Amino acid sequence: MEGVEYIMTFLRVIKWISFVVFVLAIALTGVAHGFIFNEMGLFCKDAEAEYMLSEVRNAVQAEDDIISSLFNKEEKPAEETGNAAPTPVGSTVSEPVPVGSTPAPAASGYSCEDVNEIIVHVMKYGSYQIEMSWFNKLLNVESFKINLSILVGYIALFVAFILHIITKRTKTFYGCILMIVGYIFYAGLIALGYYAGAYYIGTFEATFVSNDIAFYRTCTIIGGFALATIVGVPYYRLGIRQIANKTYKKRIDNYRKKLQRRGA
């Protein structure tokens, strides 16, 4: 029995680690999109310019990756010497731009130049998306994309849910059913939000006043999370409370039996 207890303790540790990973992944995505909405000018009515979500996201994704740069450090270029290299025969020497000439027009759109580097990387990693092309035909959508952090959190939540049921010392039929129903509602409504967001791209794109489809898609996914929390979490909590009440009832009955034995 000691071996079983050690295994159960190990599984409980994995369960809590998975749950922490889920919370951190959801928090990263939430904070990143909060910064993105702020950069879009949604939280400031007197903003100088308003940008589309796709513009901000493309700008932050184009920034240098701070993690990969730690492992792929480029060699510093050799220092320039005072002797100029000879010009190859037949080559054309570029003439300097005359003073006072008109500079090239700057690229329009959002820029990350004035944003803190840490905030830029939070937005970059929290909004990074991967396209699951094999879902396109399965769900009959044009493009199904999911945030990488959400996908990691989704997997971690599933692992935590399975281990939560396995490691429960006391289990009841109705409690497990309520927990399963709550998880299905929670995970299913989040997936439904992503499906609805992907469905927008190919169906209602021409009917929107604004062409910022990414913003409407993100709002739909946020709505899916909110609905999942309102519907799924209460069912899950009911299942946990049902099991806890059964455990407390057993303890009270055992305590009463001990008192009766002492009284006899």
Side-chain angles (χ1 to χ4, degrees), residues 15-160:
K15 175 191 71 175
W16 284 111
I17 292 175
S18 300
F19 185 73
V20 170
V21 170
F22 164 72
V23 173
L24 292 178
I26 299 300
L28 175 62
T29 303
V31 172
H33 282 84
F35 284 135
I36 289 175
F37 289 160
N38 182 62
E39 294 300 315
M40 290 172 60
L42 295 180
F43 301 148
C44 182
K45 296 181 179 180
D46 300 329
E48 296 180 358
E50 294 183 358
Y51 302 98
M52 294 191 300
L53 188 145
S54 54
E55 289 179 338
V56 180
R57 181 182 291 166
N58 292 337
V60 297
Q61 294 302 329
E63 291 294 312
D64 294 334
D65 194 331
I66 192 173
I67 294 180
S68 62
S69 63
L70 296 176
F71 300 97
N72 301 323
K73 293 183 178 180
E74 298 179 358
E75 297 182 357
K76 294 182 179 180
E79 296 181 359
E80 297 181 358
T81 59
N83 300 327
T87 304
V89 179
S91 62
T92 305
V93 180
S94 57
E95 297 180 357
V97 180
V99 179
S101 60
T102 305
S108 59
Y110 175 78
S111 175
C112 302
E113 293 180 358
D114 299 330
V115 185
N116 184 278
E117 185 178 358
I118 297 177
I119 295 178
V120 170
H121 284 91
V122 168
M123 291 190 292
K124 179 182 179 69
Y125 299 126
S127 64
Y128 181 77
Q129 293 183 326
I130 57 174
E131 183 171 4
M132 307 180 74
S133 56
W134 58 281
F135 266 8
N136 296 343
K137 293 183 179 179
L138 180 64
L139 301 177
N140 192 24
V141 294
E142 183 178 342
S143 177
F144 185 85
K145 293 181 179 180
I146 185 171
N147 282 47
L148 181 60
S149 57
I150 293 293
L151 181 61
V152 172
Y154 210 75
I155 297 172
L157 179 65
F158 177 75
V159 174

